Amino acid sequence: MGARIVLAMSLLVGFYLLAIGIVAGLIALIVVLVFSGYPTGSAVPVAIFADAMIVVVAVAFGLSLRERVWPAGVALTEADAPELWNLLRGLAFRAEVRPPDQIRSD
């Protein structure tokens, strides 16, 4: 189970590092173009900057959506559905995973 945690964390961190790398690379490309004598009024640096801002906005929008997600349904406590909780604990034990923290029903 430890390998799954490492993989999940690597993918999570890797996504943001990739986005930061893309933005940094595009901005570095703009700097190189400007300082190498490329015409600053050209559309190329503007287009590259626009691409970098698209990545920034997409990541920021994705982060803002994460905070608005609320679990749907009514929470079922162990007193409400003891058989269901026992069934899920047994399944979690057999699958060698952590049992659920909560159960929700529509």
Side-chain angles (χ1 to χ4, degrees), residues 23-35:
V23 170
L26 290 172
I27 291 174
L29 183 59
I30 293 170
V31 170
V32 167
L33 286 175
V34 169
F35 286 114

Side-chain angles (χ1 to χ4, degrees), residues 17-88:
L17 288 177
L18 178 64
I20 290 169
I22 290 171
V23 170
L26 290 172
I27 291 174
L29 183 59
I30 293 170
V31 170
V32 167
L33 286 175
V34 169
F35 286 114
S36 68
Y38 200 85
T40 56
S42 172
V44 174
V46 173
I48 294 172
F49 182 75
D51 290 342
M53 290 304 103
I54 288 171
V55 173
V56 169
V57 169
V59 170
F61 182 70
L63 287 174
S64 71
L65 287 180
R66 283 187 352 171
E67 297 171 6
R68 290 187 223 154
V69 176
W70 295 98
V74 177
L76 292 175
T77 65
E78 191 167 358
D80 295 333
E83 292 178 16
L84 178 61
W85 276 94
N86 289 334
L87 173 68
L88 290 177

